[in-house]
Every structure is written in structure tokens, then in C-alpha cells.
């Protein structure tokens, strides 16, 4: 079951005439400067039903 989200009446109104800051850090100061590296996903094995067929090896 999905929990309901926050009540939209608790947020201040959005002013479309207000300028958007150039630095996103002012909007979310607790976020890191860069994203962490993506996790390594395992390649499918030969017994996996959706495995990716190997193509011809590239010449070196």
C-alpha cells in the first residue's frame, strides 16, 4: 500500500515571477557537490534467459 504524500496546504505558494537561483545549493544545501559513482551491475551469464548475445570481437 502506498502512503499518502505530504499535505500540499503545508507548503508556501509558488510565485512564478520570483527568479530562480543559479546555484542549486541554495535550494538544497545538504546535498553533495557531485554524485557518487554508479553501482556496478553484474553482466548476464550464459544460462540467463535474457542474456545479451556476444557479437564478433573487435579487431585490435
Amino acid at each position: 500500500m502506498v502512503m499518502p504524500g505530504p499535505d500540499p496546504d503545508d507548503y508556501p505558494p509558488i510565485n512564478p515571477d520570483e527568479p530562480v537561483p543559479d546555484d542549486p545549493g541554495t535550494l538544497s544545501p545538504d546535498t553533495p557537490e557531485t554524485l557518487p559513482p554508479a553501482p556496478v551491475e553484474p553482466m548476464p551469464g550464459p544460462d540467463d534467459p535474457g542474456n545479451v548475445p556476444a557479437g564478433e570481437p573487435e579487431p585490435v
Side-chain angles (χ1 to χ4, degrees), residues 3 14 21 28 30 43 45 55 57:
M3 299 296 293
I14 296 174
S28 50
D30 296 335
M43 293 295 292

Side-chain angles (χ1 to χ4, degrees), residues 2-27:
V2 177
M3 299 296 293
D7 186 11
D9 294 333
D10 292 341
Y11 292 103
I14 296 174
N15 181 359
D17 295 327
E18 185 176 320
V20 178
D22 290 332
D23 180 17
T26 59
L27 298 175

Side-chain angles (χ1 to χ4, degrees), residues 53-60:
E56 293 290 325
E58 293 184 13
V60 180

